Amino acid sequence: MKTIFLPRKTLCLCAVLACAAVCGALLTRVKPQETVHAMIPAAVREKVELFEHSPLNKKIFAVVRADTAEKAAKAATALRQELTDANLVRAPFTPRPDFALELFYALPPRFTEQDALASKQILSPEYVSQKMRENYEHLLSMEGLLLKPLIAADPLGLTGMMTYKLAALGAGTGLDFKDGFLSSSDGKTLIALYDGTGEDSFKRAEDFSRRFNAIAARLGDNIQAFYLGGLRYTAENISVIRADLWRVTILALAALAAVFFIFLRRKSALLIYLLPFVILPPAALVTYAVFGEISGITLGFGSVVAGLSADYSIYLFFALQKGQRSAQETVRLLKKHLLCNFMTSALCFAALFCSSIELFKQIAVFSVTGLTCALLLALYVFPPFWTNTDEAVSVPVFPVSPLPKKWAVGAACAALVFGAWGVTHTNFSGDIEDLNSTSAAFKTQKAIFDEAFSQAANDNALVFVKGSSVENALENNEHASAFFPAPLAAGGVVPSAKQRAENAGRWKAFWTANRTQYARLLIEEESAKLGLNPSAFAPFWQQLKNPAPDAFDFTQIYNPAVQLSNGAFAVVNVVPNTAEYEASAKRAGAVFVSGAGLKKELLAGVRGEAVKIVFLSIVFNFLAVLLVFRNARETLLCFIPVVLAGGFTFGCFWAFGVKVNLFVLVFLPLLTGLGIDYGIFQVMKFRSAKGDRIIYPPAALWTAAFSTLAGFGVLAFAKHGVLFIMGLSSFLGICGAILAAQFVLPALLENKKCVR
Amino acid sequence: MKKLLFALLFLVSAVLWAQQPPAQINGPYAQEIISRFGAVETLQSKFTQEKHLTLLAEPVPSKGTFAFSKKGARLRWEYTEPFQNGFLMDGDKTYRLEKGVKKEVKGVMSHHVASQMLVWLTFDLKTLAETYDISFFEGGVTLTPKNNDNRLLDKITVWFAKDNPQALSEIRLDENGGDYTLLKFSDTQINQPLPKDAFL
């Protein structure tokens, strides 16, 4: 097979660069997106999304901590005032003095069957006597100033039914709520919940952070004030990713420069360093075209693709240097190897594409596009530039000797044991929190927050009932309510229009003329005994006969309806976090989400994805390499660097106490791809005719490994948890793979007499 | 003509007098009151209360006692007749008293009422001036809420005790619609040691 290079090499290179520049220019118009959803396995994505729609999730939590409860209360009140005045938050709901009266007038459209039953029971001479005496006692107390209108409108205390419904919304949270603040048991930590006043953009997050901190600084000495919530995560995460991109890019460039001066040392080899600039813009554009968005993490993965993509050119460069053959002849000899390498890498990314994690799909498309470009450049554009003998510079020779057979087997066994121990003892985390990157100050503040809130979070769960519209979701919620040990609280306060009409009808049907007359008799009898004026209860009789319109907007206290990303709606209910409620939700077709349960499911989902991806990448690669070599032994030997590198990496995770997040998943198929590449390199070398082995110098393998480390391993210096774990994994994995390929595999290849 | 001028002058004076702004708390009289009542560290007194409400067939009297300690911002307000109940405020905590037994209440409103009572009874003029327009008359003060939104009281009239410059003799709380409550104080003791169980 004759390889035809593109004619007019310089012109061709200029065209390639121009294409890359156009792609780069277009890329500047693309805004990277960051959502946690893209990082979550599909099986739990819905629950994560629903969890994010919990009533508290969209809130801004303003936390104030002081050395005394009094100071905390004063500071929290001042902070609330300033935040509201500065229009940073919406003014929180504060009940007016006539709030109880508003609750009473809101009862008829919320008058359930249970309320009707309870009302029947209270229409007894004993109850009315006791209630009227209580009313009288209240009227004579100072609280009577507040209670007088309510007593006149509701002498029987029916408002209690509404307060019960409201209380049920936060039932079991166990939180002390005072003066609009959630309070720790000692009162020194107060938390206020606010709604923001704008979009959750990075710009707004930065602006909010700056202005909040300025206000917090004015609150006084010994008073700590901070905020948490989505806005804070946005500010923390994106600033970390931005800083990381700069740090990683600078480090990668420095490392690549070192690789150049140590291994390549030829002007024309600089073409290899053009690769990132040439292949990454089109790769990013293709990814954006496929998904309609691109994540910052996918772009961060560019350094990985750059490292991987350089390998084809590096192998060709060294082959041309060492082989003393024409470019066409060298490419012909190496083509099979390069295609095999490309195929294994592409198949690893194909396995990643099979994952249900959206971000992994992006990374797969991004990487395969980049690698395709790199391969085409290596085969058809670069070789003519590397045959110029005038440029010859001494390339270092690496006299690498493989380990003796016994040592190699011993090292392999040690790596396997180390890895097995590491896999079973490494600290795997399925916590979404670990996908966020936050400052040390944030972590300290979060601990303060958790101290006050963690119990409430553990004791409660959320039940989501979905619908095509708010009304539909409310109706479905009402149907689902029947499956639970107690009615779902949201429906009690915010019923559907249909339910409101039904409840109002029930109210009218209940307060018949006879029953009203009976109530009147009881009240008048007790009024006469106590010295109350019976005509003062006129508002009550009016409400029984002709209920006032349902005017109070309860959603200003609690809005149970949320809109999901797919346009559907869900009603959120806070319920006790028990197995009984979980089973009820399942029967009702509702979604039960608890914080602890979600973590477990996420971890299980991540493990499932990991097994699937690794399994697929191994199967794909095994079949592909077998197809190329048509030799099971050699195919299996290609996996030696993969297995040993995996063992080495997980052993190191355990040994250094690394907390591994779900993004180690990205690394696993990559490790398979890289390790197999090194294995293929060595097997190809041993399969080659003796004279052709020269085109597989150890320096090529080392250079490929170091350039990948330079591009990829530098991610270990990133602060972002996701980039860090990907970088560290690859650093350890590449080190393990190259060591196994250079020192262990050759010994085993000789042993198996693979040399031809 | 002289009579006409005199009448005109009288009218103008009357109008001017009527248009005078309420006395400010930075005036010498107000300052004297602030310093007088500011010196009160403890206070205990008996009271009678008369409620004139449309809800009641006729005015109902009640009796009780109250105690105040500036230290810790404590106030015990307790009825003894016809019911034995009341409230106790201890810093930022409010308790309901039922036959001498206290039970913490978390409602904002109860705390609000208790806080208001504390300000009225101790006649903390500086705090009162934040929410009320203040006008002095001989022997007393009228407080009119500055904010019309959801106000419970139309006005509050306070009379100082003639025999004790640091005590109040009466408070009348006028509600919207004509209802009112009259509180009368007797046996007021200023800065005397309070019983040990006053706030228990």
Side-chain angles (χ1 to χ4, degrees), chain A residues 137 140 143 148 178 531 533, chain B residues 49 55 57 85 92 175 179:
Chain A
E137 199 171 327
L140 297 190
E143 280 177 331
K148 193 183 71 174
K178 193 174 179 185
N533 181 3
Chain B
Q49 172 190 283
L55 266 166
N85 62 24
D92 59 349
E175 300 173 43
D179 288 355

Side-chain angles (χ1 to χ4, degrees), chain A residues 178-380:
Chain A
K178 193 174 179 185
D179 294 343
F181 301 109
L182 294 167
S183 169
S184 61
S185 53
D186 60 4
K188 293 177 186 174
T189 306
L190 296 177
I191 300 166
L193 280 66
Y194 300 110
D195 288 311
T197 51
E199 292 292 308
D200 277 356
S201 64
F202 177 52
K203 198 176 167 190
R204 182 177 161 246
E206 267 186 330
D207 180 58
F208 185 93
S209 172
R210 186 176 44 78
R211 292 169 69 189
F212 182 96
N213 291 334
I215 293 171
R218 293 199 296 269
L219 289 175
D221 297 333
N222 300 324
I223 289 167
Q224 193 183 3
F226 57 88
Y227 72 98
L228 296 173
L231 216 53
R232 177 79 184 267
Y233 279 110
T234 306
E236 293 261 337
N237 265 319
I238 298 187
S239 56
V240 168
I241 289 178
R242 279 182 176 179
D244 277 350
L245 282 177
W246 279 108
R247 188 185 300 112
V248 165
T249 306
I250 290 166
L251 282 172
L253 288 175
L256 286 169
V259 171
F260 176 82
F261 287 113
I262 294 168
F263 295 101
L264 301 169
R265 301 183 188 177
R266 275 183 63 174
K267 259 194 301 181
S268 61
L270 284 172
L271 284 175
I272 295 169
Y273 291 107
L274 267 184
L275 276 167
F277 305 102
V278 175
I279 66 163
L280 295 184
L285 272 188
V286 168
T287 311
Y288 182 75
V290 171
F291 295 96
E293 61 177 27
I294 188 163
S295 158
I297 291 174
T298 306
L299 290 176
F301 204 75
S303 60
V304 181
V305 180
L308 287 174
S309 62
D311 289 3
Y312 312 132
S313 296
I314 289 169
Y315 293 149
L316 261 171
F317 175 81
F318 278 97
L320 284 164
Q321 300 300 303
K322 292 282 182 181
Q324 303 294 315
R325 291 179 169 88
S326 70
Q328 280 193 348
E329 175 67 5
T330 309
V331 170
R332 186 187 64 78
L333 284 171
L334 215 57
K335 200 171 191 176
K336 190 176 176 186
H337 172 217
L338 296 186
L339 285 172
C340 192
N341 268 4
F342 171 75
M343 183 177 62
T344 52
S345 300
L347 286 172
C348 287
F349 286 114
L352 207 60
F353 191 82
C354 294
S355 158
S356 67
I357 297 173
E358 196 68 21
L359 183 64
F360 288 3
K361 289 178 191 285
Q362 273 192 27
I363 288 175
V365 170
F366 180 73
S367 305
V368 171
T369 312
L371 290 179
T372 308
C373 294
L375 181 71
L376 293 173
L377 289 169
L379 288 177
Y380 300 106

Side-chain angles (χ1 to χ4, degrees), chain A residues 69 95-98 133 136-143 145-146 148 152 176 178-179 531-533 536-537, chain B residues 49 51 54-57 60 77 79 82-83 85 92 96 106 108-110 113 117 150 152 173 175 179:
Chain A
R96 294 180 298 194
D98 60 352
R133 191 177 160 80
Y136 182 68
E137 199 171 327
H138 280 137
L139 278 175
L140 297 190
S141 73
M142 290 312 291
E143 280 177 331
L145 286 171
L146 289 169
K148 193 183 71 174
D176 197 0
K178 193 174 179 185
D179 294 343
L532 288 162
N533 181 3
F537 299 113
Chain B
Q49 172 190 283
K51 286 262 186 182
T54 46
L55 266 166
L56 298 171
V60 178
W77 179 269
Y79 296 94
F83 302 105
N85 62 24
D92 59 349
R96 182 184 297 285
K106 289 180 180 171
V108 181
M109 295 303 173
S110 303
V113 170
M117 288 289 291
N150 304 304
L152 292 166
L173 307 167
E175 300 173 43
D179 288 355

